[in-house]
Amino acid sequence: MVSEKMFQLGSKSSVIRETFEYGKKRAAEIGAENVFDFSLGNPGVPAPAGVDDTIRRLLDTTPSIQLHGYTSAPGDATVRAAIAADLNRRFGTDYGAGDLYMTTGAAAALSITLRALCCEGDEFIVPAPFFPEYRVFTEAAGGRLVVTDAAPDLQPDTAALAAAIGPHTKAVILNSPNNPSGAVFTRKTLTTVAGILRDTEKRYGHPIYILSDEPYREIVYDGAEVAWLPSLYADTAVCYSYSKSLSLPGERIGYILVPPQAADARRLYAAVCGAGRALGYVCASSLFQRVAAANASLTSDLDFYRRNRALLYENLCRMGYDCVRPDGAFYLFVRALEPDAAAFCRRAREHELLLVPSDDFGLGGYVRIAYCVPTETIRRSLPAFEALIASYQ
């Protein structure tokens, strides 16, 4: 016998991964150049030159047994100190190596932090739209995910969030810049959320944390501000990945930050270490810990995403699609041309357009288009988008 819950998770991929796998199969049948796969948030821009230079330098100068050996379970201390120093320089903070835990990407960071926090009966609130795996991670940790509405501008609906908080609320998960909408939560919105949480902490007599999921922190446009959440709300833990900022999704390297100002910070950090141990998420890649630390201040070419955003957004709007203009990340959130977003995506496949319906993101009626693809893919897809909207007219 096997776990029925794990069997169900393994038997059915997420809608994002299912679309991606369909795209690979379709490309083998008709040629990749004839398939317009906008399913996966896989950065289409190379890592900064410094990343490859660092890898070569480390291979040439670091003894192999050290480079490929185990580090301390939470990560190499010099790596964590270097990343803390980068955060301190950018945000005017005073973090140290002992506040960071290196992880195999943001998924591990979230899974570990949720497991570290979750007690029986705990609830975790997330505003829609949200990354669908939050539900998987939360339920695997033993918690319950509570979904609240988005405001019309796809900021969190702060009134709905306030109404959802109860005595079992352990944390609120915030993701800005947001996947799937590309929205950057404003300082005003986040300040309001912080005030609500401070009030409810007093009412219920226990900490209510923010889990700030920040893999798109550096990918913003037109001067949009990504507020540093721990400066607005002390009881914040940050889950970060270098997958997007350094175009390293396959290397799975990130971290958890437990700021010393957070409630029960030392106990929470110890619980993070314990959860990492229980889940087997100790000693993230030794090589890529060092690569991340050496390149923490770099970002991949944002002009690539900026050009792709403009090309796709402007052309789809011209055709008559209702698009949310993204301030960050590399996703375009577009209203489906019929109430059933999944049916719309099935019709899009008739034109070899692979889009992701929004239902699993907690908000129906939209599709997510990942524009982190080669620019030429977007150009060649435009006639297919024209044909798709014409089929509804």
Side-chain angles (χ1 to χ4, degrees), residues 66-80:
Q66 177 183 344
L67 190 60
H68 302 302
Y70 289 128
T71 66
S72 299
D76 181 81
T78 59
V79 165
R80 290 183 284 136

Side-chain angles (χ1 to χ4, degrees), residues 15 22 29 37 48 61-62 78 94 103 111 117 140 157 166 202 223 226 272 278 350-351 366-367 385 391:
V15 66
Y22 171 86
E29 294 169 347
D37 185 356
T61 62
T62 308
T78 59
D94 190 25
T103 66
S111 295
L117 284 171
D157 184 326
K202 294 174 185 174
V226 180
V272 162
E350 296 174 9
H351 303 273
Y366 288 84
V367 296
F385 279 109
S391 73

Side-chain angles (χ1 to χ4, degrees), residues 196-257:
I196 291 168
L197 294 182
R198 276 190 286 268
D199 288 344
T200 49
E201 281 186 328
K202 294 174 185 174
R203 184 187 316 155
Y204 294 117
H206 64 77
I208 298 176
Y209 294 91
I210 289 177
L211 302 189
S212 185
D213 181 26
E214 303 187 0
Y216 303 95
R217 183 199 298 149
E218 287 76 23
I219 303 177
V220 293
Y221 315 106
D222 305 328
E225 179 197 17
V226 180
W228 180 241
L229 257 168
S231 71
L232 300 179
Y233 185 70
D235 295 344
T236 296
V238 175
C239 297
Y240 186 78
S241 168
Y242 292 97
S243 293
K244 316 302 183 182
S245 61
L246 294 181
S247 294
L248 295 175
E251 309 305 348
R252 313 304 295 160
I253 191 70
Y255 62 76
I256 301 162
L257 169 71

Side-chain angles (χ1 to χ4, degrees), residues 214-375:
E214 303 187 0
Y216 303 95
R217 183 199 298 149
E218 287 76 23
I219 303 177
V220 293
Y221 315 106
D222 305 328
E225 179 197 17
V226 180
W228 180 241
L229 257 168
S231 71
L232 300 179
Y233 185 70
D235 295 344
T236 296
V238 175
C239 297
Y240 186 78
S241 168
Y242 292 97
S243 293
K244 316 302 183 182
S245 61
L246 294 181
S247 294
L248 295 175
E251 309 305 348
R252 313 304 295 160
I253 191 70
Y255 62 76
I256 301 162
L257 169 71
V258 180
Q261 295 80 17
D264 300 327
R266 289 301 88 199
R267 286 181 59 82
L268 176 54
Y269 185 84
V272 162
C273 294
R277 178 185 178 188
L279 292 167
Y281 286 144
V282 296
C283 184
S285 164
S286 177
L287 171 60
F288 279 92
Q289 285 188 49
R290 292 168 168 84
V291 171
N295 295 276
S297 62
L298 300 182
T299 303
S300 296
D301 180 14
L302 294 185
D303 284 339
F304 171 85
Y305 298 129
R306 194 175 289 111
R307 288 191 299 269
N308 280 7
R309 180 187 69 146
L311 180 64
L312 188 63
Y313 175 81
E314 292 169 8
N315 276 283
L316 293 194
C317 288
R318 173 185 58 78
M319 295 174 196
Y321 289 93
D322 181 3
C323 307
V324 177
R325 183 176 175 83
D327 291 321
F330 40 56
Y331 305 108
L332 189 63
F333 213 44
V334 180
R335 191 174 292 279
L337 297 176
E338 59 180 287
D340 186 340
F344 174 68
C345 289
R346 288 193 293 272
R347 185 182 285 199
R349 286 188 183 188
E350 296 174 9
H351 303 273
E352 308 302 341
L353 291 166
L354 306 189
L355 317 177
V356 178
S358 65
D359 303 81
D360 285 0
F361 294 96
L363 180 65
Y366 288 84
V367 296
R368 190 192 78 169
I369 305 175
Y371 58 82
C372 48
V373 299
T375 305

